[in-house]
Structures are given as structure tokens and as C-alpha cells.
Amino acid sequence: MKHLIMTLLTTLGLGLSATTMTAHAQDDPIVVGGLNYTEHLILTSATFQLLQAKGYDVDKREGLGTSVLRQAQENGQVDLYWEYTGNSVILFNDQPQPDNAAETYATAKRLDAEKGLVWLNPSDTNNTYALAMREAEAEKLDIHTLSDLAAAMNDGADLTLASNAEFYAREDGLRPLQEAYGFEFPRSSVKRMDSGLTYNALREGEVDVALVFATDGRNGAFNFEVLDDDQQFFPVYQLAPVVREETFDAHPELRTLLNDMSAALNDPTLIDLNRRVDVDDQSIEKVAKDFLTENDLL
């Protein structure tokens, strides 16, 4: 009968009422997005599993690049994902780096609200970029800070760097970092590769320095020394859930669920979760579920 009525309405040129369309929109699956590296894959899986356990119809779109994922959310193709405050302020909103974590979060929240995006509570994390060396070589060359690295390079040290393509080209990436510290890796000394491969390249001696993330579990497990950013060049990259305003209005209870998850995250927790996947070879799904269970979120 319903199909017959719909056919008749179509034949007569009548559309669905606004009420019916709204109800249908609210019944659509919540799409959880994610970036293409371990930490984000864990958070995406955990969010997906959490919402499924609470009875939501959920889809997952993971493994995307930073700008692609953000554009998908702005276009309504992704409803929520975990974003880093520094990305929003510097990369998406083209603003100068704020002085501290609280100001960075407040700026991201304010600017993205104008785009229909709601920032929920930030976690106690800072997965910022960093450069690392093998501990033995850092000790041998007496390089423990980025200023030490700059001094060594300017004194003629022939060092090679592993970097992902995004950091190589970003406005808050390699070029401005080198300008801030006053040194330069020759182009021939920079090997561009996927983020996850920089760790193995450094561990196996294929390069002398590698781009890493501060909360990656492989830093300690692989005996890396993360060089101190003594001039505080790198922005704060604090994780928080970001939800489209339309989705949030339809499901306001997401605030409590995602804020509880955010409260369970900190740097040691992220390092441990990343280590379980990248060092202990546990599956993304298992690590994500264990995180939810261990923190009484399910």
C-alpha cells in the first residue's frame, strides 16, 4: 500500500512533506570518519563500536587524508570524527599559532562553529609532530634538541630525514620548521614516504632523522630519542570529537557519550594503545574494544 501511495504521489508530481524528509534524515546512519594512521584508526573503531553498542545505526569511513576528511565533514558526508585542534586553527582556518592548548581549542571551537561544526570536550592529549633519532646516534652526535640538530647541520653534518609528504608540504611543516631553527635539509637528503614507514626507516638505519608523532608507541619501543622542540615551534594537537551541528541537533545525547570517551584519553593512554597495535601486533578492533571496556564506556 505504501509503495502504491508513493507511486501515485510521484505521478501527480507531489513531493514528500518537510516532516517526512526530516524524519528520514534523522534515521540515516551516523557516519564516523577517520584518518589513515594507527592512532586515528583506533579512535575511529572505538567510536564506531561505542555507538553501535548504544543502539545507533553507524557507518564508518576511515583511512582518509586530513584535508579530504575535513572537506567530507563540511559537505555532510561525514557526521563526526576526532580532530586535532592545531589542524583546525592553522590548516583549515589559516590562523596563526595560539600561545597554549586552551587558546588553541577555544579558537578552533569558535571558528568551526561558524561552519556548522560542534567541538565537544578536548582530551588531555597533544599528539604533535616531532623529529626523532636513534638513541645511540643522538648520544654520539650530542643532539637532544631541535636547536642541537640545527647546529649540527650547520656545522656540516650529513644527515638524512624521513618525512611524510603532507609534513613536507604543510604550511606548519618542514619548511617553516627549518626557517624557525635556521637550518635546512637538502632536498636530496629528504626521503618522502607514508607516515608509518618513517619509523622503520629510522629503526633500520635507512635515515638519520625521522618525522614521528609524539604519542606513537614505537618511539620508546624502538629506542628513539624524540628531540625536544626547545623553541616550541610545533602547534598543540589536542584531540577532541567534532560533530556536524545538524547531526548533533538530531542526537544531542552524543555529547555525553563522546565527552566520556574524550575524558578517558591522555598521552600515556594513546602511547599504550598505539604500542599494542604497532609493536604487539594486536588488531585495531581488539585494541579499540579493550579501551572501551577498560574505561567502562560500553
Side-chain angles (χ1 to χ4, degrees), residues 152-187:
M153 294 289 291
N154 291 331
D155 284 343
D158 183 18
L159 302 177
T160 54
L161 169 71
S163 169
N164 65 26
E166 182 175 300
F167 181 74
Y168 185 85
R170 279 176 69 125
E171 289 301 315
D172 59 341
L174 182 60
R175 179 184 52 78
L177 168 69
Q178 294 178 140
E179 290 175 356
Y181 278 93
F183 76 104
E184 183 177 6
F185 282 100
R187 180 173 295 185

Side-chain angles (χ1 to χ4, degrees), residues 131 133 141-159 177-178 180-185 209 227-228 230-231:
L131 297 186
M133 299 179 66
L141 298 177
D142 195 24
I143 297 177
H144 306 287
T145 69
L146 292 180
S147 290
D148 292 340
L149 175 64
M153 294 289 291
N154 291 331
D155 284 343
D158 183 18
L159 302 177
L177 168 69
Q178 294 178 140
Y181 278 93
F183 76 104
E184 183 177 6
F185 282 100
V209 185
L227 304 183
D228 180 40
D230 51 310
Q231 293 187 28

Side-chain angles (χ1 to χ4, degrees), residues 4 12 40 77 82 84 128 161 178 204 212 227 233 294:
L4 189 60
L12 294 175
H40 226 268
Q77 297 166 303
W82 292 79
Y84 300 92
T128 191
L161 169 71
Q178 294 178 140
E204 295 169 8
V212 299
L227 304 183
F233 167 82
E294 290 161 8

Side-chain angles (χ1 to χ4, degrees), residues 45-64:
S45 179
T47 306
F48 178 80
Q49 292 185 53
L50 174 63
L51 296 186
Q52 270 198 329
K54 300 300 180 181
Y56 291 93
D57 185 11
V58 195
D59 280 346
K60 181 170 57 173
R61 296 181 187 172
E62 59 188 1
L64 303 177

Side-chain angles (χ1 to χ4, degrees), residues 69-78 81 92-93 112 115 117 244:
L69 179 53
R70 169 65 177 227
Q71 193 63 50
Q73 187 177 47
E74 290 190 14
N75 291 341
Q77 297 166 303
V78 167
Y81 76 101
F92 303 142
N93 288 295
D112 282 347
K115 301 176 181 180
L117 304 178
R244 288 198 312 121

Side-chain angles (χ1 to χ4, degrees), residues 247-292:
T247 305
F248 184 72
D249 289 344
H251 305 284
E253 64 280 3
L254 288 174
R255 179 184 297 274
T256 298
L257 289 174
L258 295 176
N259 281 344
D260 286 348
M261 184 173 163
S262 186
L265 292 170
N266 53 42
D267 285 347
T269 296
L270 287 178
I271 290 170
D272 179 58
L273 295 175
N274 289 325
R275 177 192 55 77
R276 295 186 201 183
V277 173
D278 290 328
V279 179
D280 299 341
D281 291 326
Q282 297 182 32
S283 72
I284 294 284
E285 291 72 21
K286 180 183 185 305
V287 171
K289 185 173 183 178
D290 288 347
F291 163 73
L292 295 172

